[in-house]
Amino acid sequence: MKTILVAEDDTFINEMLCELLTQNGYTPTSAFSGTEALLHLRQGGFDMMILDLMLPGKTGEEVLQEVRATSDMPIIVLTAMADKETTVKLLRLGADDYLVKPFDNDELLARTSVQLRRTALAADNSTLKFKDIILDLEGYDACIGCVKVGLSKREFEILKHMMSYPNKVFSKNNLYESVWGDEFMGDDNIINVHISKLRAKLAALAPGVEYIKTVWGIGFKMGG
């Protein structure tokens, strides 16, 4: 049974969420402040967290930042704000998904299932994961969250190569020779075009999130 930490200071909502999760086969634990949530997390054993932004003690944003410093556990954020600026900020801080209050229970359950399934996929040797991108190396598919990204063969190979070494800076020479399997002749336009298209496709599904970073004078690396 998957264990889920529910960090929500509203007693009614917290109890409702825990009852809903229990009825659907999960094992929830309640926390009513950011400080309490972090104490539970330090004890370990959780597969996912549902996190309200407006928590007493440590705020939801502070909890999110602390968790992301040491863990890639799925986190669904609950927020009363639906504006684009808040959404982008949450994704940049490391939220995997978010729901705007008041939310639909079936939608919460569906998103919970998606996040836990993504974690299981990412643990498999046939997948690569960076932030919320998952590459299925056998099926040759790329997804952000549960939405498929339509990549060309070269775009997929570039992303696969870079995600295999997310902390490495790749020169255009290196990318060309690794992905095209040919000697680099100094024309970097082909790399620039493919990187630009790849960035645009990723940005279309996750606006404001930086996945590929330009390292001026050297090349590119996975960013953020």
Side-chain angles (χ1 to χ4, degrees), residues 18-30:
C18 287
E19 182 178 352
L20 178 68
L21 293 169
T22 300
Q23 290 173 351
N24 285 273
Y26 300 109
T27 302
T29 296
S30 291

Side-chain angles (χ1 to χ4, degrees), residues 33-147:
S33 71
T35 306
E36 185 184 1
L38 290 172
L39 287 173
H40 282 301
L41 289 170
R42 290 186 187 112
Q43 296 172 7
F46 292 101
D47 297 298
M48 198 188 92
M49 177 164 59
I50 296 173
L51 175 66
D52 181 44
L53 276 189
M54 304 299 291
L55 290 174
K58 295 271 189 177
T59 66
E61 290 182 359
E62 289 172 326
V63 172
L64 182 56
Q65 287 177 298
E66 288 199 32
V67 174
R68 278 293 170 259
T70 59
S71 172
D72 60 356
M73 173 183 66
I75 299 175
I76 297 178
V77 170
L78 304 180
T79 176
M81 298 172 284
D83 58 283
K84 182 178 179 181
E85 183 179 343
T86 299
T87 302
V88 169
K89 184 178 181 181
L90 288 175
L91 293 171
R92 283 178 172 165
L93 286 173
D96 295 280
D97 202 349
Y98 70 96
L99 278 170
V100 178
K101 295 179 178 181
F103 51 83
D104 180 80
N105 288 351
D106 288 337
E107 184 177 5
L108 173 71
L109 290 172
R111 291 178 184 243
T112 297
S113 177
V114 165
Q115 292 304 323
L116 292 170
R117 187 167 64 247
R118 283 180 54 231
T119 303
L121 280 172
D124 192 291
N125 289 333
S126 64
T127 63
L128 289 174
K129 182 174 185 280
F130 179 82
K131 289 188 176 180
D132 53 352
I133 305 175
I134 291 182
L135 291 189
D136 178 352
L137 304 182
E138 293 182 354
Y140 232 73
D141 284 330
C143 295
I144 291 181
C146 56
V147 182

Side-chain angles (χ1 to χ4, degrees), residues 141-184:
D141 284 330
C143 295
I144 291 181
C146 56
V147 182
K148 187 178 291 188
V149 186
L151 301 181
S152 69
K153 180 178 184 299
R154 300 295 191 198
E155 291 162 355
F156 184 93
E157 289 294 338
I158 289 172
L159 198 53
K160 172 186 172 184
H161 195 58
M162 295 180 69
M163 285 176 60
S164 297
Y165 308 93
N167 296 318
K168 179 179 177 180
V169 179
F170 293 90
S171 67
K172 295 174 183 179
N173 185 333
N174 180 276
L175 284 175
Y176 186 85
E177 293 184 356
S178 298
V179 173
W180 275 261
D182 199 1
E183 182 180 358
F184 184 66

